[in-house]
Amino acid sequence: SSFLYLRSHFGSSAVCNCPVLRFVMFNARKKILKAKGAAPNELEEEVAKALFDIEVSPSSEIKAELRDICIASAKEVEVKKARGDIKAVVISIPYKHWASVRKIQGRLIRELEKKINKRHVVLVAKRTMLDKDFRKNNPGMRIRPRSRTLTSVHDKILDDIVGPTEIVGKRTRVAVDGSKTLKVFLNPKDKEKDNLEDKLASFSSVYAKLCNRHAVFQFA
């Protein structure tokens, strides 16, 4: 984008001195929901601007849905592939916005991948996990909600990662050395959609990064 070109070649002052880009970045920053005082990183600014561009594009079919959608964070994950390593962009969405994102997940990913240097884009909801000692920090909570357990959160992250396709089966394989590999089977009807078959390695790398677990994805 013009913003990234100016900043990389001429520094932040070039952006500050351009009224149009100042206006764009001011509005794009509204698409980032960070903790008070936390500054967005360069990738988060790039994603926010891409979201804003899609939202204001006259030809966009999802502009109305994007109006109230923000991101919580964005980071890159290395993906090792036989044809050469690539990077996937993992975008975390505030949980309160996730239901809206889920409805347009496939279309939003397609539009973002056109704008973010053709890297694979993975959208996940920002979820809060509570450990077994949750009462120390939550004295008013007697029972830990099942949705906040490690198992439940990891299962939901798995569903998020593969969207917009869906998981139709799972199997855990235990090796001789005791290591475990989760085999995840995806809906075969979606095999030809949105270049999903080329993203299987990205799904594995993102899941390993977020959950510290090894998983292999394939179509049933």
Side-chain angles (χ1 to χ4, degrees):
S1 67
S2 300
F3 165 73
L4 293 175
Y5 177 83
L6 282 175
R7 184 168 63 183
S8 62
H9 286 75
F10 304 106
S12 298
S13 60
V15 176
C16 296
N17 292 328
C18 179
V20 175
L21 285 178
R22 281 207 311 270
F23 172 78
V24 171
M25 287 315 300
F26 174 77
N27 285 281
R29 284 275 179 91
K30 294 179 181 178
K31 307 300 288 182
I32 308 174
L33 193 62
K34 305 284 285 185
K36 192 173 182 180
N41 60 38
E42 188 173 318
L43 179 60
E44 287 164 352
E45 289 184 341
E46 183 182 356
V47 171
K49 185 180 180 301
L51 280 174
F52 181 69
D53 287 347
I54 298 167
E55 183 183 326
V56 300
S57 171
S59 61
S60 175
E61 298 178 352
I62 55 175
K63 59 194 307 177
E65 291 88 343
L66 283 179
R67 240 171 241 137
D68 299 319
I69 291 174
C70 300
I71 68 168
S73 64
K75 59 185 175 183
E76 286 186 332
V77 174
E78 295 282 346
V79 181
K80 295 189 178 299
K81 301 188 72 174
R83 299 192 303 271
D85 296 351
I86 63 169
K87 290 182 179 180
V89 177
V90 184
I91 302 171
S92 178
I93 307 292
Y95 187 75
K96 64 181 180 180
H97 297 156
W98 183 246
S100 299
V101 171
R102 193 67 169 166
K103 294 175 184 176
I104 58 169
Q105 191 171 0
R107 287 180 290 171
L108 180 55
I109 288 173
R110 283 197 299 273
E111 293 301 321
L112 285 171
E113 287 181 340
K114 292 176 186 176
K115 294 181 176 294
I116 308 179
N117 297 331
K118 297 183 179 179
R119 287 167 285 183
H120 289 167
V121 169
V122 176
L123 303 177
V124 297
K126 183 180 180 181
R127 293 184 168 85
T128 303
M129 190 161 33
L130 297 175
D131 59 26
K132 293 180 180 179
D133 297 326
F134 69 96
R135 291 187 184 87
K136 291 181 180 179
N137 297 320
N138 302 273
M141 188 180 291
R142 293 184 178 183
I143 300 174
R144 179 175 55 163
R146 188 184 179 283
S147 62
R148 300 289 187 88
T149 63
L150 176 71
T151 300
S152 177
V153 170
H154 282 185
D155 283 346
K156 291 298 183 183
I157 289 174
L158 203 59
D159 290 334
D160 294 349
I161 288 172
V162 303
T165 189
E166 58 187 11
I167 296 170
V168 296
K170 287 184 282 189
R171 185 184 305 153
T172 300
R173 177 173 292 176
V174 182
V176 178
D177 61 2
S179 61
K180 295 181 180 180
T181 298
L182 178 63
K183 296 192 75 173
V184 183
F185 300 95
L186 306 178
N187 192 332
K189 293 180 181 179
D190 297 325
K191 188 174 183 179
E192 306 300 326
K193 292 181 181 178
D194 298 322
N195 202 29
L196 283 174
E197 193 166 19
D198 191 48
K199 295 182 179 181
L200 300 181
S202 293
F203 294 162
S204 295
S205 297
V206 171
Y207 185 67
K209 182 71 174 180
L210 298 181
C211 301
N212 197 29
R213 292 184 175 182
H214 181 49
V216 175
F217 296 80
Q218 64 187 73
F219 289 94

